[in-house]
Amino acid sequence: MGMRFVLFVCIGMRVIYGLQFCGYRQNRDVSQRMGRWDPPSSRPEKNAKIALNDLRREINAVESGALLADERSKIVELPRGATGIEWGSDLSFVGVYIRALEEGGAAYATGLVDEGDQLVAINGTAAYMLSFDEVMSLLGREAPTIRLEFFSGSRDQLLTVAGIEQTPISQELTVTVLDNDRVIARLPAQRGANLRDVLVQAGIDLYQGSSAYLNCRGKQLCGTCIIDVQQGANYTNRKSNDEFSTLNLQNTAPSCRLSCVTFLYGDITVSLRPERSGFIGAATSGSAW
């Protein structure tokens, strides 16, 4: 009886070991086949976690008063007039972004904003479709502390998030040139072109008297390349203080521009050699012709 029991136990253990070994071989073969032929399995739980975190950031943005429900939106509170931000805009002067941060300034100290961030809102008022001048005016008249919302991304990305449909911008434009109220040329140009360059390259004489020979050749020194913008002034960059002073000294019409500092991003009509008087030259160079 004792020997039979021992034999039974030994046979049983051998059978169990054999089954386990076969199961191990089978599992190993399946594992090897999967590793050899099947692509790595995705981790849906990880993707779901990422999506949940994004949703939480969007909810936090909305709860904090952000205009945009997007994880790239952020709000900072800064002292008015001492933000430590140098603002920038493109040639259209619509929409404002952080061109540079003053190291150690109020915005820099927050650690939340970076150069290139787009301005979305000022104290809850949407600012991303306002002109540069409108934004500056709004920044200047708000309370001592201003609440600014920024978007980390390009302007195109901002407009997409805001749901604003963007139409393709043509890179081609036309400069219509008048002389004594008569059209003398229609010149093709590229978006962003310099007006003086377009006129000079087409052989258009835009100077008066001796300034045709004594001008600064577009180096922004002499203040003599004046034209009168008849149509399309809104398709040019804004006047700088220096340009405004130079034109004011020569008693020109408000529609006049210095062609050497005028850049184009739409069709424009200009008149050559407008009337002027007084000091003839640049406000900063001291030149006079």
Side-chain angles (χ1 to χ4, degrees), residues 4 11 27 38 56 62 86 132 156 171 196 208 223 231 234 258 263-264 281:
R4 287 182 180 179
I11 294 172
N27 292 337
D38 294 350
R56 284 172 177 167
V62 173
E86 180 181 329
F132 185 89
D156 288 345
Q171 298 300 313
R196 181 189 180 277
Q208 297 187 35
Q231 294 179 1
N234 56 315
L258 294 176
F263 295 88
L264 313 173

Short mmCIF file of all heavy atoms in Angstrom, two decimals, residues 4 11 27 38 56 62 86 132 156 171 196 208 223 231 234 258 263-264 281:
data_model
loop_
_atom_site.label_atom_id
_atom_site.label_comp_id
_atom_site.label_asym_id
_atom_site.label_seq_id
_atom_site.Cartn_x
_atom_site.Cartn_y
_atom_site.Cartn_z
N ARG A 4 2.53 1.74 -3.43
CA ARG A 4 1.57 2.22 -4.42
C ARG A 4 1.30 3.70 -4.25
O ARG A 4 1.16 4.46 -5.21
CB ARG A 4 0.26 1.44 -4.29
CG ARG A 4 0.37 0.00 -4.80
CD ARG A 4 -0.98 -0.65 -4.67
NE ARG A 4 -0.90 -2.03 -5.16
CZ ARG A 4 -1.94 -2.87 -5.15
NH1 ARG A 4 -3.11 -2.46 -4.66
NH2 ARG A 4 -1.79 -4.11 -5.60
N ILE A 11 3.87 9.72 -10.12
CA ILE A 11 3.26 9.84 -11.45
C ILE A 11 2.44 11.13 -11.56
O ILE A 11 2.48 11.85 -12.56
CB ILE A 11 2.37 8.61 -11.73
CG1 ILE A 11 3.23 7.35 -11.84
CG2 ILE A 11 1.54 8.80 -13.00
CD1 ILE A 11 2.43 6.07 -11.93
N ASN A 27 2.76 29.22 -24.25
CA ASN A 27 2.71 30.66 -23.98
C ASN A 27 3.93 31.35 -24.55
O ASN A 27 3.85 32.45 -25.09
CB ASN A 27 2.63 30.92 -22.47
CG ASN A 27 1.30 30.48 -21.88
OD1 ASN A 27 0.32 30.39 -22.63
ND2 ASN A 27 1.28 30.20 -20.59
N ASP A 38 3.41 40.90 -34.70
CA ASP A 38 2.38 41.89 -34.39
C ASP A 38 3.01 43.22 -34.02
O ASP A 38 4.04 43.25 -33.36
CB ASP A 38 1.50 41.42 -33.22
CG ASP A 38 0.69 40.19 -33.60
OD1 ASP A 38 0.68 39.86 -34.80
OD2 ASP A 38 0.09 39.57 -32.70
N ARG A 56 -8.87 69.17 -18.47
CA ARG A 56 -8.76 69.86 -17.18
C ARG A 56 -8.14 71.24 -17.35
O ARG A 56 -8.56 72.20 -16.73
CB ARG A 56 -7.92 69.01 -16.22
CG ARG A 56 -8.67 67.82 -15.65
CD ARG A 56 -7.73 66.92 -14.86
NE ARG A 56 -8.46 65.81 -14.26
CZ ARG A 56 -7.87 64.74 -13.72
NH1 ARG A 56 -6.53 64.65 -13.74
NH2 ARG A 56 -8.59 63.78 -13.20
N VAL A 62 -11.13 78.32 -18.49
CA VAL A 62 -12.46 78.94 -18.49
C VAL A 62 -12.81 79.45 -17.10
O VAL A 62 -13.32 80.57 -16.93
CB VAL A 62 -13.53 77.93 -18.98
CG1 VAL A 62 -14.93 78.51 -18.82
CG2 VAL A 62 -13.28 77.58 -20.44
N GLU A 86 7.71 94.36 -24.64
CA GLU A 86 7.82 95.12 -25.88
C GLU A 86 6.86 94.49 -26.87
O GLU A 86 6.99 93.32 -27.22
CB GLU A 86 9.24 95.08 -26.42
CG GLU A 86 9.41 95.88 -27.72
CD GLU A 86 10.84 95.81 -28.25
OE1 GLU A 86 11.77 95.68 -27.44
OE2 GLU A 86 11.01 95.87 -29.49
N PHE A 132 -3.13 97.74 -33.62
CA PHE A 132 -2.05 98.02 -32.67
C PHE A 132 -2.38 99.26 -31.85
O PHE A 132 -2.23 99.27 -30.62
CB PHE A 132 -0.74 98.20 -33.44
CG PHE A 132 0.46 98.38 -32.55
CD1 PHE A 132 1.18 97.28 -32.12
CD2 PHE A 132 0.87 99.64 -32.17
CE1 PHE A 132 2.30 97.44 -31.29
CE2 PHE A 132 1.98 99.81 -31.35
CZ PHE A 132 2.69 98.71 -30.91
N ASP A 156 -2.15 82.41 -36.65
CA ASP A 156 -3.06 81.52 -37.38
C ASP A 156 -3.68 80.50 -36.43
O ASP A 156 -4.89 80.20 -36.53
CB ASP A 156 -2.30 80.80 -38.50
CG ASP A 156 -1.97 81.73 -39.66
OD1 ASP A 156 -2.57 82.84 -39.72
OD2 ASP A 156 -1.12 81.37 -40.49
N GLN A 171 -0.53 87.37 -52.36
CA GLN A 171 0.80 87.96 -52.27
C GLN A 171 1.04 88.99 -53.36
O GLN A 171 2.07 89.67 -53.36
CB GLN A 171 1.86 86.85 -52.35
CG GLN A 171 1.76 85.84 -51.22
CD GLN A 171 1.95 86.45 -49.85
OE1 GLN A 171 2.87 87.23 -49.62
NE2 GLN A 171 1.05 86.13 -48.93
N ARG A 196 9.10 102.89 -52.26
CA ARG A 196 10.14 103.58 -53.04
C ARG A 196 10.83 102.61 -53.99
O ARG A 196 11.09 102.95 -55.15
CB ARG A 196 11.16 104.23 -52.11
CG ARG A 196 12.24 105.00 -52.89
CD ARG A 196 13.38 105.48 -52.01
NE ARG A 196 14.38 106.20 -52.80
CZ ARG A 196 15.35 105.60 -53.49
NH1 ARG A 196 15.44 104.27 -53.49
NH2 ARG A 196 16.22 106.32 -54.19
N GLN A 208 11.39 116.00 -56.40
CA GLN A 208 11.21 117.37 -56.88
C GLN A 208 12.55 118.09 -56.96
O GLN A 208 13.38 117.98 -56.05
CB GLN A 208 10.28 118.15 -55.95
CG GLN A 208 8.86 117.60 -55.86
CD GLN A 208 7.96 118.52 -55.05
OE1 GLN A 208 8.11 119.74 -55.09
NE2 GLN A 208 7.01 117.94 -54.33
N GLY A 223 14.38 112.81 -46.35
CA GLY A 223 12.98 113.24 -46.25
C GLY A 223 12.42 113.86 -47.50
O GLY A 223 11.56 114.76 -47.42
N GLN A 231 -5.44 106.33 -52.31
CA GLN A 231 -6.29 105.21 -51.91
C GLN A 231 -5.40 104.09 -51.36
O GLN A 231 -4.26 103.94 -51.80
CB GLN A 231 -7.10 104.66 -53.10
CG GLN A 231 -8.13 105.63 -53.65
CD GLN A 231 -8.87 105.05 -54.83
OE1 GLN A 231 -8.64 103.91 -55.25
NE2 GLN A 231 -9.78 105.83 -55.41
N ASN A 234 -4.83 102.25 -45.71
CA ASN A 234 -4.99 101.20 -44.70
C ASN A 234 -4.22 99.94 -45.05
O ASN A 234 -4.14 99.01 -44.24
CB ASN A 234 -6.46 100.88 -44.49
CG ASN A 234 -7.16 100.49 -45.78
OD1 ASN A 234 -6.98 101.14 -46.80
ND2 ASN A 234 -7.97 99.45 -45.74
N LEU A 258 6.44 109.14 -46.60
CA LEU A 258 7.78 108.98 -47.14
C LEU A 258 7.83 107.59 -47.77
O LEU A 258 7.67 106.58 -47.07
CB LEU A 258 8.83 109.10 -46.04
CG LEU A 258 8.98 110.48 -45.35
CD1 LEU A 258 9.98 110.39 -44.22
CD2 LEU A 258 9.39 111.53 -46.36
N PHE A 263 5.59 100.46 -46.50
CA PHE A 263 5.53 99.08 -46.95
C PHE A 263 4.09 98.70 -47.28
O PHE A 263 3.14 99.17 -46.66
CB PHE A 263 6.11 98.15 -45.88
CG PHE A 263 7.58 98.37 -45.65
CD1 PHE A 263 8.01 99.32 -44.73
CD2 PHE A 263 8.53 97.68 -46.37
CE1 PHE A 263 9.37 99.56 -44.52
CE2 PHE A 263 9.88 97.90 -46.18
CZ PHE A 263 10.30 98.84 -45.26
N LEU A 264 3.94 97.84 -48.28
CA LEU A 264 2.64 97.58 -48.87
C LEU A 264 2.15 96.16 -48.58
O LEU A 264 2.94 95.22 -48.60
CB LEU A 264 2.72 97.78 -50.39
CG LEU A 264 3.42 99.06 -50.88
CD1 LEU A 264 3.56 99.03 -52.39
CD2 LEU A 264 2.64 100.29 -50.43
N GLY A 281 13.29 118.49 -45.85
CA GLY A 281 14.30 117.54 -45.42
C GLY A 281 13.78 116.69 -44.26
O GLY A 281 12.62 116.78 -43.89
#
